[in-house]
Amino acid sequence: MFKLNIQQTIDKVENSFLKKNLPLLKIGDNIKVGVKIIEGNKERVQFYEGTIIAKKNSSINTTITVRKTLQGIGIERIFLIHSPKVDSITILRSSKVRRSKLYYLRNLRGKASRLKQTFK
């Protein structure tokens, strides 16, 4: 009984920090994430654009792995989507995928790494 009360308290605290205005993120979506960057005493938003290749759901600890290719080199970044550092998430386009993790994109280059786009 004591353990149940602690878990309920933890859930209440976590729910107060969950973001309510997030779009429905799916694997294969091409997104633009605005991340708050602090430089000295100034704060600005830097955008990171790429494809979601993985998603892990666990309430407040929900993460997405975003991959982009910059000058022929693949770069992956993991975002904690309920973090205060994440300012905005915008879906640019969606793709049709049949897997829950797109790790195979790491081995593909150029046109081979394209995903079939779905239209809304």
Side-chain angles (χ1 to χ4, degrees):
M1 181 173 154
F2 182 70
K3 193 172 188 177
L4 183 66
N5 290 338
I6 292 174
Q7 187 60 42
Q8 289 173 342
T9 308
I10 290 171
D11 289 341
K12 283 183 184 177
V13 171
E14 284 182 352
N15 287 337
S16 66
F17 290 103
L18 290 176
K19 292 184 180 178
K20 308 289 189 265
N21 58 349
L22 288 175
L24 180 63
L25 299 172
K26 298 184 297 277
I27 306 299
D29 285 353
N30 200 323
I31 63 170
K32 188 175 190 179
V33 182
V35 183
K36 293 179 184 173
I37 303 289
I38 298 172
E39 295 174 338
N41 56 358
K42 294 181 183 176
E43 185 176 292
R44 66 181 180 90
V45 177
Q46 181 175 353
F47 291 100
Y48 187 90
E49 188 175 326
T51 304
I52 300 176
I53 64 166
K55 185 176 177 186
K56 186 188 82 151
N57 290 313
S58 57
S59 70
I60 195 139
N61 295 321
T62 301
T63 62
I64 55 173
T65 303
V66 181
R67 179 177 177 83
K68 75 175 180 179
T69 305
L70 186 65
Q71 297 178 355
I73 299 172
I75 301 169
E76 292 182 8
R77 189 159 172 194
I78 299 172
F79 293 101
L80 192 63
I81 64 173
H82 295 290
S83 169
K85 293 275 186 192
V86 175
D87 186 51
S88 64
I89 299 176
T90 309
I91 298 176
L92 303 176
R93 72 180 74 94
S94 296
S95 300
K96 180 186 175 199
V97 293
R98 297 176 66 177
R99 295 173 186 254
S100 60
K101 307 283 193 233
L102 301 180
Y103 295 140
Y104 69 91
L105 291 178
R106 294 172 175 166
N107 300 324
L108 302 178
R109 302 282 178 256
K111 287 186 178 181
S113 65
R114 289 183 300 180
L115 298 172
K116 183 169 273 208
Q117 188 173 346
T118 58
F119 299 98
K120 297 173 186 170

